């Protein structure tokens, strides 16, 4: 939880923060049907990958552009310090 998801629709950007993940049986349609009508992103895929045994759901809630910028900065790779450079 907490990961950033960014979607684009044309030029418009939509940012979401993962709030929950859950693995359910593939026959459990109540998981989707029980979601409250709210502004959220719900992603679904098979679990484990390549099987139809279960489903993993990732729920994400919208966030502001400012909050997304903070998350992006935190996730950006840090530049290597001189002491970690390869010495030949």
């Amino acid at each position: 939880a907490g990961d950033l998801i960014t979607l684009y629709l044309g030029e418009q950007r939509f940012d979401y923060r993962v709030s929950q993940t859950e693995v359910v049986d593939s026959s459990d349609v109540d998981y989707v049907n029980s979601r409250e009508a709210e502004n959220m992103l719900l992603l679904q895929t098979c679990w484990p990958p390549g099987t139809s045994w279960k489903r993993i759901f990732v729920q994400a809630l919208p966030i502001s552009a400012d909050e997304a910028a903070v998350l992006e900065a935190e996730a950006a790779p840090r530049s290597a310090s001189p002491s970690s450079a390869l010495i030949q």
Side-chain angles (χ1 to χ4, degrees):
D3 290 336
L4 173 67
I5 298 174
T6 300
L7 302 176
Y8 290 90
L9 179 60
E11 298 291 320
Q12 193 168 8
R13 178 178 168 151
F14 299 89
D15 294 304
Y16 297 85
R17 176 186 276 183
V18 173
S19 58
Q20 178 180 356
T21 58
E22 190 164 345
V23 177
V24 301
D25 288 331
S26 60
S27 61
D28 186 3
V29 295
D30 289 334
Y31 184 82
V32 174
N33 294 336
S34 68
R35 301 291 98 187
E36 295 293 323
E38 63 180 282
N39 186 10
M40 75 167 166
L41 175 67
L42 186 61
L43 304 173
Q44 168 191 326
T45 191
C46 297
W47 188 257
T51 72
S52 60
W53 298 338
K54 295 190 179 279
R55 302 283 182 263
I56 186 168
F57 287 94
V58 177
Q59 178 179 315
L61 300 174
I63 59 172
S64 69
D66 291 340
E67 190 175 355
V70 169
L71 290 173
E72 286 176 335
E74 290 172 354
R78 308 282 191 257
S79 60
S81 65
S83 62
S84 65
L86 178 63
I87 301 173
Q88 296 183 4

